[in-house]
Amino acid sequence: MIKGINAWCFPEDWGVETLFKTTKELGFRGIELNVEEKEGSIFTLDTNGEEVRRVTETASKFGVDIFSISTAMLWKYPLTSENRETRQKGIEIVEKMLEIASQCGAETVLVVPGLVTEEVPYNAAYKRAVEAIKKLSESAEKKKITIGIENVWNKFLLSPMEMRGFIEDIDSPFVGVYLDIGNLVHSGYPEQWIHMLSDKLANVHIKDFKGTVGNIDGFVPLLAGDIDWMNVAETLKTNGYSGYIAPEIPPHPHHPEVLLKATSEIMDHFFQFD
């Protein structure tokens, strides 16, 4: 397994050099960067190849790999929207992520496959998501980049069986599962998801969850929640997982360095990293 981290774990106002320098100092081999709408973000939809090159060169200077590209924009522009233009915008966002990933050497892009809502029933969401991801898988295959479908709180793909069926319906070697351990524990068990999806795993996100809270405020730093991380680590190991493990935990508002250091040390305690 490989030790990584998502850039959302760092304060927004940290520059690129500080971001990569700290990543290296804390022992993370790779970082997941995010495409955002906000001006001043590392990557946006307006990012050009020269900008990607500069960021990639800075990462290389500090010996950090960019292993994945993520985004939160697919919540605003879901691939399952009732609105055709919104769905097309979502597709264009993923295409941009694939382009950036290809330019910076990332092997994965994280994709939220869609949302089930009052206006979008499950069967419609499923059909639209499969159609969109099948189309995007053609670009992914050309670029040799894996689309990682993340399990999130979207009322969609709620079990490992549903997730596996979805991946099999797309039927592409360049579409897998981006498993988020923290996201699944409110309704499932990590070891079951890992075991049933072991041959489909692209990357793994980690954060903890406190069941007594039971809502979005229940997401907490590692060891502040209820997840048995030794069991998670052992299950990943016994199922042959060898990809990235990356926390996705917001920075502490006053002491981000302390939380980052603690996260790194906790990961080292439980996971056997290469």
Side-chain angles (χ1 to χ4, degrees), residues 232-251:
V232 169
E234 285 297 318
T235 306
L236 285 166
K237 180 181 176 182
T238 57
N239 279 272
Y241 180 70
S242 59
Y244 271 93
I245 308 285
E248 188 189 40
I249 301 167

Side-chain angles (χ1 to χ4, degrees), residues 219-266:
F219 290 116
V220 291
L222 303 179
L223 296 188
D226 307 324
I227 296 175
D228 183 346
W229 291 107
M230 188 61 76
N231 188 31
V232 169
E234 285 297 318
T235 306
L236 285 166
K237 180 181 176 182
T238 57
N239 279 272
Y241 180 70
S242 59
Y244 271 93
I245 308 285
E248 188 189 40
I249 301 167
H252 192 279
H254 306 298
H255 310 288
E257 298 91 347
V258 177
L259 180 56
L260 285 164
K261 186 173 184 290
T263 299
S264 175
E265 291 174 350
I266 291 167

Side-chain angles (χ1 to χ4, degrees), residues 14-219:
W14 281 18
V16 171
E17 293 237 351
T18 302
L19 182 72
F20 294 136
K21 181 175 182 289
T22 307
T23 297
K24 181 65 174 180
E25 289 174 345
L26 290 174
F28 294 98
R29 189 195 298 184
I31 191 167
E32 180 173 54
L33 298 180
N34 308 295
V35 179
E36 305 185 59
E37 288 188 290
K38 297 176 292 187
E39 285 189 22
S41 300
I42 295 176
F43 293 143
T44 69
L45 292 179
D46 295 326
T47 297
N48 60 42
E50 178 61 24
E51 292 166 336
V52 176
R53 185 187 64 78
R54 286 198 296 268
V55 170
T56 305
E57 287 180 350
T58 306
S60 180
K61 182 176 78 170
F62 289 101
V64 174
D65 294 329
I66 301 171
F67 72 90
S68 179
I69 303 297
S70 177
T71 188
M73 285 192 286
L74 292 176
W75 290 93
K76 183 176 179 180
Y77 304 104
L79 301 173
T80 54
S81 172
E82 281 287 278
N83 185 284
R84 184 182 297 274
E85 292 182 358
T86 300
R87 297 200 302 272
Q88 181 58 36
K89 177 74 169 181
I91 288 174
E92 291 170 2
I93 289 168
V94 180
E95 292 280 12
K96 182 65 175 183
M97 293 166 67
L98 289 166
E99 176 187 326
I100 291 173
S102 178
Q103 293 168 341
C104 69
E107 297 180 351
T108 310
V109 298
L110 183 154
V111 171
V112 173
L115 316 176
V116 172
T117 67
E118 289 185 16
E119 295 77 26
V120 181
Y122 197 109
N123 59 333
Y126 196 95
K127 181 175 181 292
R128 291 170 187 164
V130 168
E131 288 176 351
I133 302 299
K134 274 191 173 183
K135 178 178 180 181
L136 288 163
S137 71
E138 297 174 5
S139 296
E141 184 165 0
K142 290 176 183 176
K143 293 179 170 65
K144 307 301 180 188
I145 294 167
T146 297
I147 294 173
I149 304 298
E150 188 181 33
N151 58 298
V152 295
W153 285 20
N154 54 354
K155 302 184 186 298
F156 186 48
L157 306 179
L158 301 173
S159 75
M161 292 181 67
E162 289 170 271
M163 179 65 85
R164 186 173 189 89
F166 180 79
I167 298 298
E168 290 176 347
D169 281 348
I170 294 167
D171 191 26
S172 169
F174 289 91
V175 178
V177 179
Y178 204 128
L179 188 64
D180 189 303
I181 302 298
N183 284 346
L184 68 86
V185 294
H186 75 296
S187 61
Y189 301 92
E191 63 272 17
Q192 295 176 12
W193 280 73
I194 293 166
H195 179 69
M196 295 181 67
L197 297 168
S198 60
D199 61 324
K200 303 295 184 183
L201 295 182
N203 287 317
V204 174
H205 267 168
I206 56 173
K207 54 181 175 279
D208 221 324
F209 184 75
K210 203 166 184 61
T212 52
V213 179
N215 56 40
I216 196 168
D217 295 322
F219 290 116

